[in-house]
Coordinates of all heavy atoms in Angstrom, one line a residue:
M19 N 99.0 8.5 2.7 CA 98.7 9.0 1.4 C 98.3 10.5 1.4 O 98.8 11.3 0.6 CB 97.6 8.2 0.8 CG 97.9 6.8 0.5 SD 96.3 6.0 -0.1 CE 96.9 4.2 -0.2
E20 N 97.4 10.8 2.4 CA 97.0 12.2 2.5 C 98.1 13.2 2.9 O 98.1 14.3 2.5 CB 95.8 12.3 3.4 CG 94.5 11.6 2.9 CD 93.3 12.0 3.6 OE1 93.0 13.2 3.6 OE2 92.6 11.2 4.2
A21 N 99.0 12.7 3.8 CA 100.1 13.5 4.2 C 101.0 13.9 3.0 O 101.4 15.1 2.9 CB 101.0 12.8 5.2
G22 N 101.2 13.0 2.1 CA 102.0 13.3 0.9 C 101.3 14.3 0.0 O 102.0 15.1 -0.6
S23 N 100.0 14.3 0.0 CA 99.2 15.1 -0.9 C 99.1 16.6 -0.4 O 98.6 17.4 -1.2 CB 97.8 14.5 -1.1 OG 97.0 14.7 0.0
Q24 N 99.5 16.8 0.8 CA 99.3 18.2 1.4 C 100.5 18.7 2.1 O 100.3 19.4 3.1 CB 98.0 18.2 2.2 CG 98.0 17.2 3.3 CD 96.6 17.1 4.0 OE1 95.6 17.7 3.5 NE2 96.6 16.4 5.1
M25 N 101.7 18.3 1.7 CA 102.9 18.8 2.4 C 103.0 20.3 2.4 O 103.7 20.8 3.3 CB 104.1 18.1 1.7 CG 104.3 16.7 1.9 SD 104.8 16.3 3.6 CE 105.2 14.6 3.4
Q26 N 102.4 21.0 1.4 CA 102.5 22.4 1.4 C 101.7 23.1 2.4 O 101.8 24.3 2.6 CB 102.2 22.9 0.0 CG 100.7 22.7 -0.5 CD 100.5 21.4 -1.3 OE1 100.9 20.4 -0.7 NE2 99.9 21.5 -2.4
R27 N 100.8 22.4 3.1 CA 100.0 23.1 4.1 C 100.8 23.4 5.3 O 101.7 22.7 5.8 CB 98.8 22.1 4.5 CG 97.7 22.2 3.6 CD 96.4 21.7 4.3 NE 95.3 21.9 3.4 CZ 94.3 21.1 3.3 NH1 94.2 20.0 3.9 NH2 93.3 21.4 2.4
G28 N 100.5 24.6 5.9 CA 101.1 25.0 7.2 C 102.4 25.7 7.0 O 103.0 26.1 8.0
I29 N 102.9 25.9 5.8 CA 104.2 26.6 5.6 C 103.9 28.1 5.7 O 104.6 28.9 6.3 CB 104.9 26.2 4.3 CG1 105.1 24.7 4.2 CG2 106.2 27.0 4.1 CD1 105.7 24.2 2.9
W30 N 102.9 28.5 4.9 CA 102.6 30.0 4.9 C 101.1 30.1 5.3 O 100.3 29.3 5.0 CB 102.7 30.5 3.4 CG 104.1 30.3 2.8 CD1 104.5 29.2 2.1 CD2 105.1 31.3 2.8 NE1 105.8 29.4 1.7 CE2 106.2 30.7 2.1 CE3 105.3 32.5 3.3 CZ2 107.4 31.3 1.9 CZ3 106.5 33.2 3.1 CH2 107.5 32.6 2.4
F31 N 100.9 31.3 6.0 CA 99.5 31.6 6.4 C 99.3 33.1 6.0 O 100.2 33.9 5.8 CB 99.3 31.5 7.9 CG 99.3 30.1 8.5 CD1 100.4 29.5 8.8 CD2 98.1 29.5 8.6 CE1 100.4 28.2 9.3 CE2 98.0 28.2 9.1 CZ 99.2 27.5 9.5
R32 N 98.0 33.4 5.8 CA 97.7 34.8 5.5 C 96.8 35.4 6.6 O 96.0 34.6 7.3 CB 97.0 35.0 4.2 CG 95.7 34.1 4.1 CD 95.1 34.2 2.7 NE 94.0 33.3 2.4 CZ 92.8 33.6 2.8 NH1 92.4 34.7 3.3 NH2 91.8 32.7 2.5
G33 N 96.9 36.6 6.9 CA 96.1 37.3 8.0 C 96.0 38.8 7.7 O 96.2 39.2 6.6
A34 N 95.7 39.5 8.8 CA 95.6 41.0 8.7 C 96.3 41.5 9.9 O 96.5 40.8 10.9 CB 94.2 41.4 8.6
D35 N 96.7 42.8 9.8 CA 97.3 43.4 11.0 C 96.2 43.7 12.1 O 95.1 43.3 11.9 CB 98.1 44.7 10.6 CG 97.1 45.8 10.1 OD1 95.9 45.6 10.1 OD2 97.6 46.8 9.5
E36 N 96.6 44.2 13.2 CA 95.8 44.3 14.3 C 94.5 45.1 14.1 O 93.5 44.9 14.7 CB 96.5 44.9 15.5 CG 97.6 43.9 16.1 CD 98.2 44.4 17.3 OE1 97.9 45.5 17.8 OE2 99.1 43.7 17.9
D37 N 94.6 46.1 13.2 CA 93.3 46.9 12.9 C 92.5 46.3 11.8 O 91.5 46.9 11.4 CB 93.7 48.4 12.7 CG 94.5 48.6 11.4 OD1 94.7 47.6 10.7 OD2 94.9 49.7 11.2
G38 N 93.0 45.1 11.3 CA 92.2 44.4 10.3 C 92.2 45.0 8.9 O 91.4 44.7 8.1
T39 N 93.2 45.8 8.6 CA 93.3 46.4 7.3 C 94.3 45.8 6.4 O 94.0 45.1 5.4 CB 93.5 47.9 7.4 OG1 94.7 48.1 8.2 CG2 92.3 48.6 8.1
A40 N 95.6 46.0 6.7 CA 96.6 45.5 5.7 C 96.8 44.0 5.8 O 96.8 43.4 6.8 CB 98.0 46.2 6.1
P41 N 96.8 43.4 4.6 CA 97.1 41.9 4.6 C 98.5 41.6 5.0 O 99.4 42.4 4.8 CB 96.9 41.6 3.1 CG 97.2 42.8 2.4 CD 96.7 43.9 3.3
T42 N 98.6 40.5 5.7 CA 99.9 40.0 6.2 C 100.2 38.6 5.8 O 99.3 37.8 5.5 CB 100.0 40.1 7.7 OG1 99.1 39.2 8.3 CG2 99.8 41.5 8.2
I43 N 101.5 38.3 5.7 CA 101.9 36.9 5.4 C 102.8 36.4 6.5 O 103.6 37.1 7.0 CB 102.8 36.9 4.1 CG1 101.9 37.3 2.9 CG2 103.4 35.5 3.9 CD1 102.7 37.4 1.6
L44 N 102.5 35.2 7.0 CA 103.2 34.6 8.1 C 103.9 33.4 7.6 O 103.3 32.5 7.0 CB 102.3 34.3 9.2 CG 102.9 33.7 10.5 CD1 102.1 34.2 11.7 CD2 103.0 32.2 10.5
L45 N 105.2 33.3 7.8 CA 106.0 32.1 7.4 C 106.2 31.3 8.7 O 106.7 31.7 9.7 CB 107.4 32.5 6.9 CG 108.4 31.4 6.7 CD1 107.9 30.4 5.7 CD2 109.8 31.9 6.3
A46 N 105.7 30.0 8.6 CA 105.6 29.2 9.8 C 106.7 28.1 9.8 O 107.0 27.6 10.9 CB 104.2 28.6 10.0
E47 N 107.1 27.7 8.7 CA 108.0 26.5 8.6 C 109.1 26.8 7.5 O 108.8 27.3 6.4 CB 107.3 25.2 8.2 CG 106.3 24.8 9.3 CD 105.3 23.8 8.8 OE1 105.3 23.5 7.5 OE2 104.6 23.2 9.6
L48 N 110.4 26.5 7.9 CA 111.5 26.6 6.9 C 111.6 25.4 6.0 O 112.4 24.5 6.2 CB 112.8 26.9 7.7 CG 112.8 28.2 8.4 CD1 114.1 28.3 9.3 CD2 112.7 29.4 7.5
I49 N 110.7 25.4 5.0 CA 110.7 24.3 4.1 C 110.8 24.9 2.7 O 110.0 25.9 2.4 CB 109.3 23.5 4.2 CG1 109.3 22.8 5.6 CG2 109.2 22.5 3.1 CD1 107.9 22.1 5.8
P50 N 111.6 24.4 1.8 CA 111.7 25.0 0.5 C 110.4 25.1 -0.2 O 109.7 24.0 -0.4 CB 112.7 24.1 -0.3 CG 113.4 23.3 0.8 CD 112.5 23.2 2.0
S51 N 110.0 26.2 -0.6 CA 108.6 26.4 -1.1 C 108.4 27.7 -1.9 O 109.3 28.5 -1.9 CB 107.6 26.4 0.0 OG 107.9 27.4 1.0
R52 N 107.3 27.7 -2.6 CA 107.0 28.9 -3.4 C 105.5 29.3 -3.1 O 104.6 28.4 -3.0 CB 107.1 28.6 -4.9 CG 106.9 29.8 -5.8 CD 107.4 29.5 -7.2 NE 106.8 28.3 -7.8 CZ 107.5 27.2 -8.0 NH1 108.9 27.2 -7.8 NH2 107.0 26.1 -8.5
L53 N 105.3 30.5 -2.9 CA 104.0 31.1 -2.6 C 103.6 32.0 -3.7 O 104.3 32.9 -4.1 CB 104.0 31.9 -1.3 CG 102.7 32.7 -1.0 CD1 101.5 31.8 -0.7 CD2 103.0 33.6 0.3
D54 N 102.3 31.8 -4.2 CA 101.8 32.7 -5.3 C 100.4 33.2 -4.8 O 99.4 32.5 -4.8 CB 101.6 31.9 -6.6 CG 101.2 32.7 -7.7 OD1 100.9 33.9 -7.5 OD2 101.1 32.2 -8.9
W55 N 100.4 34.4 -4.3 CA 99.2 35.1 -3.8 C 98.8 36.0 -4.9 O 99.0 37.2 -4.8 CB 99.5 35.8 -2.5 CG 98.3 36.1 -1.7 CD1 97.0 35.9 -2.0 CD2 98.2 36.9 -0.5 NE1 96.1 36.4 -1.1 CE2 96.8 37.0 -0.1 CE3 99.2 37.4 0.4 CZ2 96.4 37.6 1.0 CZ3 98.8 38.0 1.5 CH2 97.4 38.1 1.9
A56 N 98.1 35.5 -5.9 CA 97.7 36.3 -7.1 C 96.8 37.5 -6.7 O 96.9 38.6 -7.3 CB 97.1 35.5 -8.1
Q57 N 96.0 37.3 -5.7 CA 95.0 38.3 -5.3 C 95.7 39.6 -4.9 O 95.2 40.7 -5.1 CB 94.1 37.8 -4.2 CG 93.1 38.8 -3.7 CD 92.3 38.3 -2.5 OE1 92.4 37.1 -2.2 NE2 91.5 39.1 -1.9
E58 N 96.9 39.4 -4.2 CA 97.6 40.6 -3.7 C 98.9 40.9 -4.6 O 99.7 41.8 -4.3 CB 98.1 40.4 -2.3 CG 96.9 40.2 -1.3 CD 96.1 41.5 -1.1 OE1 96.7 42.6 -1.4 OE2 95.0 41.4 -0.7
G59 N 99.0 40.1 -5.7 CA 100.2 40.3 -6.6 C 101.5 40.0 -5.9 O 102.5 40.6 -6.2
V60 N 101.5 39.0 -5.1 CA 102.7 38.6 -4.3 C 103.2 37.2 -4.7 O 102.4 36.3 -4.7 CB 102.4 38.7 -2.8 CG1 103.7 38.2 -2.0 CG2 102.1 40.1 -2.3
R61 N 104.4 37.1 -5.0 CA 105.1 35.8 -5.3 C 106.4 35.8 -4.5 O 107.2 36.7 -4.5 CB 105.4 35.6 -6.8 CG 104.2 35.5 -7.6 CD 104.5 35.3 -9.1 NE 103.4 35.0 -9.9 CZ 102.6 35.9 -10.4 NH1 102.9 37.2 -10.2 NH2 101.5 35.6 -11.2
L62 N 106.5 34.7 -3.7 CA 107.6 34.6 -2.8 C 108.2 33.2 -3.0 O 107.5 32.2 -3.2 CB 107.2 34.7 -1.3 CG 106.7 36.1 -0.9 CD1 106.3 36.1 0.6 CD2 107.8 37.2 -1.1
A63 N 109.5 33.1 -2.9 CA 110.2 31.8 -3.0 C 111.1 31.7 -1.8 O 111.9 32.6 -1.5 CB 111.0 31.6 -4.3
L64 N 111.1 30.5 -1.1 CA 111.9 30.3 0.0 C 112.9 29.1 -0.3 O 112.5 28.0 -0.7 CB 111.1 29.9 1.2 CG 111.9 29.4 2.5 CD1 112.7 30.6 3.1 CD2 110.9 28.9 3.5
T65 N 114.2 29.4 -0.2 CA 115.2 28.4 -0.5 C 115.9 28.2 0.8 O 116.4 29.1 1.4 CB 116.2 28.9 -1.5 OG1 115.5 29.2 -2.7 CG2 117.3 27.8 -1.8

């Protein structure tokens, strides 16, 4: 039940570059998905 409720976990991660300044996005799994990072004004769709 819980697996079904959180399938979107683990597809995208957020971090920072090595000097800790610029935000970064990491794509970890090729699963059709949509990311909405409103804080940074970023919207991404993976098909």
Side-chain angles (χ1 to χ4, degrees):
M19 292 177 185
E20 292 197 58
S23 71
Q24 54 189 12
M25 287 292 190
Q26 64 268 54
R27 277 203 174 140
I29 302 175
W30 302 88
F31 290 87
R32 58 185 172 85
D35 62 10
E36 291 186 0
D37 63 7
T39 55
T42 62
I43 294 173
L44 185 148
L45 172 62
E47 298 167 348
L48 292 175
I49 295 174
S51 56
R52 186 167 51 249
L53 169 66
D54 186 353
W55 195 3
Q57 180 183 351
E58 299 293 338
V60 174
R61 290 181 176 86
L62 296 174
L64 174 65
T65 303

